[in-house]
């Protein structure tokens, strides 16, 4: 049962306030000693001149592994997605996207502000999918009154949820039948692949462009790679320059990404397992609704809206760092050890026991 000490880990309730177990996001990971060592010896050049060997190696490697002609290293996933949208679409075009998707809701409106691309947000299912009937209804006729529908953008994972492979196949085939490109915000592509026991290539092959983030569960300090055809990436390269994404000796960062791909992909399964353990502990607390998918645990106020507020206060007081939003999201990652997971689950059990005694 969680709450027991492992290898000298502190028992539940004995955690110092300065412990700082950070469950805000998988973006909080820091480079491991091995990654720092790889960064320190990275071969570098000037990537604006395309002669940084570490960047070129990473781009070529990911493109080959995921089945694309070319790859392009970016400083961030937001830039990677925006470059993809602007490569697929011209001014006055539109892209179809989920109304809660990251490219629509959480990337500053960049497609509209910087690309003059109209987003057409559509209702999503819990796994991020958009009913093909909704996609069909949103595609505009070839008429000067309308923006030109050019692209369908999907996201996998979506809030930790894995998009089903059969849906991806049907949606991408339908989009192409209608003359649309298909882009995947694959910030957590490898989480989706590991969760399904698939090679990431099996997901990526359905898309014209795929953006993969290296600084989330994979643990690199920065970086994302956009994959696609050489023609599309030539446009994306120009956009990257306009956005200020041309870096010089970026091989130091690319080396971190390569190290992550070599050493951290398999460990995503441990993140998923620890998220499930935390969810199980939370489900024992009356008054909460808990959902878990890959490395994300979502906690909703249930029959007693105050229980979640008290839980957040209790965990925060014992050194667990949270994003205090509703629903509450707890994210497991490379920097959350097995011992720390035990501590978190023990704290949740302690809270649950005290809540039960208060109720009686």
């Amino acid at each position: 049962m969680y709450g027991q000490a492992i290898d000298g880990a502190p028992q539940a309730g004995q955690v110092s306030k300065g412990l700082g177990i950070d469950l805000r996001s998988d973006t909080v990971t820091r480079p491991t000693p091995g990654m720092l060592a790889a960064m320190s010896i990275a071969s570098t050049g000037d990537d604006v001149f395309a002669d940084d060997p570490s960047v070129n190696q990473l781009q070529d490697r990911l493109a080959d592994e995921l089945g694309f002609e070319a790859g392009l290293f970016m400083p961030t996933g937001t830039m990677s997605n925006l470059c993809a949208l602007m490569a697929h679409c011209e001014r006055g075009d539109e892209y179809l996207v989920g109304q809660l998707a990251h490219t629509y809701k959480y990337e500053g409106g960049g497609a509209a502000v910087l690309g003059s691309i109209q987003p057409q947000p559509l209702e999503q299912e819990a796994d991020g999918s958009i009913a093909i009937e909704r996609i069909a209804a949103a595609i505009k006729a070839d008429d000067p009154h309308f923006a030109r529908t050019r692209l369908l953008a999907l996201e996998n994972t979506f809030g930790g949820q894995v998009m089903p492979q059969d849906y991806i196949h049907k949606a991408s085939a339908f989009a192409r039948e209608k003359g649309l490109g298909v882009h995947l915000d694959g910030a957590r592509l490898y989480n989706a692949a590991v969760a399904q026991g698939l090679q990431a290539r099996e997901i990526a092959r359905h898309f014209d462009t795929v953006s993969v983030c290296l600084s989330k569960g994979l643990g690199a300090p920065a970086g994302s790679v956009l994959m696609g055809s050489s023609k599309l990436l030539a446009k994306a390269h120009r956009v990257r320059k306009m956005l200020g994404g041309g870096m010089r000796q970026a091989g130091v960062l690319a080396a971190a990404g390569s190290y992550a791909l070599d050493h951290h992909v398999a460990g995503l399964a441990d993140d998923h397992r620890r998220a499930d353990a935390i969810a199980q502990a939370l489900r024992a607390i009356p008054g909460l609704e808990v959902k878990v998918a890959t490395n994300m645990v979502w906690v909703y106020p249930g029959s007693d809206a105050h229980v979640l507020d008290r839980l957040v206060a209790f965990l925060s007081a014992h050194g667990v760092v949270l994003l205090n939003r509703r629903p509450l999201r707890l994210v497991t990652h490379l920097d959350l050890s097995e011992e720390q997971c035990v501590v978190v689950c023990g704290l949740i059990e302690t809270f649950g026991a005290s809540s039960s005694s208060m109720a009686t």
Side-chain angles (χ1 to χ4, degrees):
M1 182 176 73
Y2 282 92
Q4 304 299 314
I6 291 183
D7 296 332
Q11 297 281 352
Q14 296 180 334
V15 189
S16 71
K17 292 183 180 180
L19 185 62
I21 299 175
D22 198 335
L23 298 179
R24 289 174 296 169
S25 175
D26 47 9
T27 62
V28 302
T29 57
R30 290 157 294 184
T32 63
M35 182 180 286
L36 288 170
M39 295 169 70
S40 71
I41 61 171
S43 298
T44 59
D46 189 324
D47 185 48
V48 172
F49 294 136
D51 63 9
D52 188 303
S54 297
V55 171
N56 293 340
Q57 180 184 28
L58 174 63
Q59 292 173 162
D60 293 345
R61 171 190 178 165
L62 262 179
D64 182 63
E65 288 183 4
L66 298 183
F68 292 96
E69 287 182 352
L72 184 62
F73 185 63
M74 308 272 187
T76 70
T78 295
M79 183 180 286
S80 185
N81 282 325
L82 180 56
C83 286
L85 297 179
M86 292 177 68
H88 281 283
C89 301
E90 303 294 339
R91 292 171 58 88
D93 289 348
E94 76 169 3
Y95 78 109
L96 308 182
V97 62
Q99 62 187 5
L100 299 176
H102 206 276
T103 61
Y104 171 64
K105 188 174 181 181
Y106 296 104
E107 295 184 358
V113 175
L114 301 174
S116 296
I117 302 165
Q118 172 175 286
Q120 176 61 69
L122 302 176
E123 184 178 347
Q124 295 169 274
E125 304 301 324
D127 58 11
S129 61
I130 305 167
I132 292 177
E133 294 79 12
R134 289 196 180 101
I135 296 172
I139 297 173
K140 308 294 188 291
D142 185 7
D143 184 301
H145 293 87
F146 305 135
R148 297 161 296 199
T149 310
R150 294 296 194 213
L151 179 70
L152 171 66
L154 299 176
E155 185 175 335
N156 193 18
T157 64
F158 172 75
Q161 293 273 1
V162 176
M163 188 171 287
Q165 283 290 97
D166 60 342
Y167 169 79
I168 291 173
H169 172 73
K170 292 175 183 176
S172 60
F174 177 79
R176 290 196 179 97
E177 177 187 319
K178 298 299 181 180
L180 307 184
V182 194
H183 172 66
L184 177 66
D185 176 359
R188 296 180 176 88
L189 172 68
Y190 284 93
N191 289 89
V194 168
Q196 297 175 94
L198 297 174
Q199 295 296 316
R201 185 189 187 103
E202 288 302 303
I203 301 172
R205 68 184 181 89
H206 297 284
F207 297 88
D208 298 306
T209 50
V210 173
S211 173
V212 175
C213 194
L214 301 165
S215 65
K216 294 186 170 67
L218 295 178
S224 180
V225 180
L226 177 65
M227 272 75 62
S229 68
S230 297
K231 182 178 180 180
L232 274 170
L233 287 203
K235 292 182 69 176
H237 199 164
R238 174 176 287 272
V239 175
R240 188 187 74 171
K241 180 64 176 177
M242 287 190 293
L243 296 175
M247 297 184 288
R248 301 299 177 176
Q249 287 69 44
V252 175
L253 294 174
S258 293
Y259 183 93
L261 293 169
D262 286 336
H263 298 280
H264 295 166
V265 173
L268 296 174
D270 291 325
D271 296 344
H272 301 171
R273 177 178 54 79
R274 289 171 185 143
D276 190 62
I278 291 171
Q280 288 185 44
L282 287 165
R283 288 189 179 114
I285 301 174
L288 298 178
E289 294 181 9
V290 182
K291 297 179 182 178
V292 61
T294 58
N295 67 325
M296 295 188 185
V297 183
W298 296 89
V299 191
Y300 301 80
S303 57
D304 183 349
H306 299 295
V307 172
L308 184 52
D309 294 334
R310 293 198 300 269
L311 172 65
V312 169
F314 178 84
L315 292 176
S316 298
H318 287 80
V320 180
V321 184
L322 303 168
L323 278 178
N324 192 9
R325 298 175 180 172
R326 300 296 180 270
L328 177 67
R329 188 187 73 169
L330 297 86
V331 186
T332 58
H333 50 78
L334 181 68
D335 283 13
L336 179 73
S337 67
E338 188 71 18
E339 291 81 6
Q340 289 176 320
C341 183
V342 168
V343 168
V344 171
C345 291
L347 286 169
I348 293 168
E349 290 175 1
T350 299
F351 174 83
S354 64
S355 295
S356 298
S357 63
M358 288 173 59
T360 57

